[in-house]
């Protein structure tokens, strides 16, 4: 029985905007799928975490949008790689895996929210849902990875 070990790293990028607010914000996240059995071919679901941290004055409110890049594939079909081999998956905003988390283009969704700083530094956590596509029977055993960039605009 072959099993493929899967890890996705979500890179972090600090906020971008035209006019800098008094607060500063960063975003980070990670998701890992564990093992996928290509002989069975069932989809594998995973839950990861995205953290938004803002620094500023207590009581200050910051509105922001968190977007994800497509990684090695596209928003419709993200791919993890192991050498020349690829595994198909995607990342979602919802547990039903209906809202692809992306940059707002190609029918994808962004995370739009705000945070009121309760202290000089406040962190808010969000869940990212992942699903490895079913019926990938020709995968080779190995560690498949993708790099998805998170960007926060505020």
């Amino acid at each position: 029985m072959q099993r493929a070990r899967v890890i996705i790293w979500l890179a972090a990028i600090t906020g971008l905007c035209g006019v800098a607010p008094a607060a500063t914000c960063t975003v980070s996240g990670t998701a890992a799928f564990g093992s996928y059995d290509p002989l069975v071919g069932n989809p594998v679901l995973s839950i990861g975490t995205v953290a938004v941290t803002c620094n500023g004055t207590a009581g200050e409110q910051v509105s922001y949008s968190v977007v994800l890049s497509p990684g090695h594939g596209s928003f419709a079909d993200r791919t993890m790689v192991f050498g020349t081999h690829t595994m198909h998956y995607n990342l979602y905003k919802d547990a039903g895996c209906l809202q692809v988390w992306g940059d707002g283009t190609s029918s994808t969704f962004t995370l739009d929210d705000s945070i009121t700083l309760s202290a000089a530094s406040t962190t808010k956590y969000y869940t990212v849902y992942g699903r490895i596509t079913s019926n990938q029977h020709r995968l080779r055993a190995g560690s498949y990875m993708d790099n998805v960039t998170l960007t926060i605009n505020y």
Side-chain angles (χ1 to χ4, degrees):
M1 178 186 307
Q2 293 184 342
R3 290 195 178 261
R5 183 173 165 86
V6 180
I7 299 173
I8 297 176
W9 295 101
L10 302 175
I13 290 189
T14 57
L16 306 170
C17 63
V19 177
T24 59
C25 299
T26 60
V27 62
S28 63
T30 189
F33 285 98
S35 296
Y36 176 81
D37 186 346
L39 297 177
V40 176
N42 291 333
V44 174
L45 303 176
S46 177
I47 296 175
T49 303
V50 171
V52 172
T53 302
C54 293
N55 299 294
T57 305
E60 187 174 1
Q61 184 172 6
V62 181
S63 296
Y64 52 84
S65 178
V66 177
V67 301
L68 275 60
S69 74
H72 286 103
S74 66
F75 288 123
D77 183 26
R78 286 184 165 106
T79 56
M80 292 177 273
V81 296
F82 170 63
T84 59
H85 307 285
T86 59
M87 179 184 291
H88 305 277
Y89 80 102
N90 221 326
L91 300 171
Y92 302 89
K93 282 185 53 185
D94 64 311
C97 298
L98 300 173
Q99 299 178 347
V100 174
W101 197 338
D103 64 359
T105 64
S106 304
S107 300
T108 65
F109 294 82
T110 62
L111 171 76
D112 300 306
D113 202 359
S114 64
I115 190 169
T116 300
L117 279 63
S118 58
S121 180
T122 303
T123 301
K124 198 167 186 178
Y125 297 94
Y126 302 92
T127 302
V128 57
Y129 301 90
R131 181 175 64 193
I132 295 176
T133 309
S134 61
N135 298 319
Q136 298 185 64
H137 299 292
R138 297 179 187 248
L139 293 175
R140 302 270 172 130
S143 294
Y144 289 76
M145 300 182 79
D146 193 9
N147 289 308
V148 175
T149 302
L150 284 83
T151 304
I152 185 166
N153 299 303
Y154 58 96

